Amino acid sequence: MNDCVFCRIVAGEAPATKVYEDDILCAFLDIRPIARGHMLVVPKQHATELEDLDAELGAYVFRAGHRLALAVRRSTLAADGANLLLNDGTAAFQTVPHVHLHVIPRKHGDKFRF
Ligand code: 5GP
Ligand code: ZN
């Protein structure tokens, strides 16, 4: 059994609410959301940190994040903006060792900032 929780989600072996999926990546809701609709975009191929990720694949992950950041404005979430965040490495407080891009919908009046 794969001990990477995001690989297990990708494989459908662990539960998650997937919001987008193609051959290359999937996006699912964060289990401890900072804001409603907080999502993680993950490449299907395991890469622990950006150092291990093909640059073209990294660009593809960001492209999906870009699209989702626009989609949350048009969706029922009615976001006014979004934070796109990637914690790369334990020094940057990455806690799950499989590259993931956070897409965090934001509303005017939200009280927290990064
Ligand atoms: P990091 O701190 O590594 O950038 O963020 C890891 C994120 O993964 C956290 O926001 C955390 O809530 C989320 N997370 C950790 N384990 C799981 C899980 O099993 N399922 C889902 N959906 N999210 C998870
Ligand atoms: Zn993995």
Side-chain angles (χ1 to χ4, degrees), residues 31-86:
I31 205 167
R32 283 182 293 275
I34 288 173
R36 202 159 97 85
H38 179 176
M39 292 171 272
L40 303 170
V41 184
V42 308
K44 289 191 166 179
Q45 186 184 311
H46 181 86
T48 303
E49 299 184 5
L50 286 182
E51 193 175 42
D52 314 308
L53 188 73
D54 175 78
E56 198 176 324
L57 183 48
Y60 192 81
V61 167
F62 186 80
R63 188 162 167 248
H66 182 171
R67 288 181 168 171
L68 288 166
L70 300 185
V72 295
R73 289 164 162 89
R74 295 190 302 263
S75 76
T76 51
L77 290 167
D80 300 311
N83 293 112
L84 274 68
L85 173 76
L86 196 154

Side-chain angles (χ1 to χ4, degrees), residues 2 4 6-7 46-47 97-98:
N2 193 326
C4 171
F6 288 175
C7 280
H46 181 86
H98 180 134

Side-chain angles (χ1 to χ4, degrees), residues 89-112:
T90 52
F93 298 97
Q94 180 181 355
T95 59
V96 177
H98 180 134
V99 171
H100 50 283
L101 175 66
H102 296 255
V103 180
I104 305 167
R106 301 303 302 268
K107 302 277 275 184
H108 287 305
D110 282 354
K111 296 294 182 226
F112 66 95

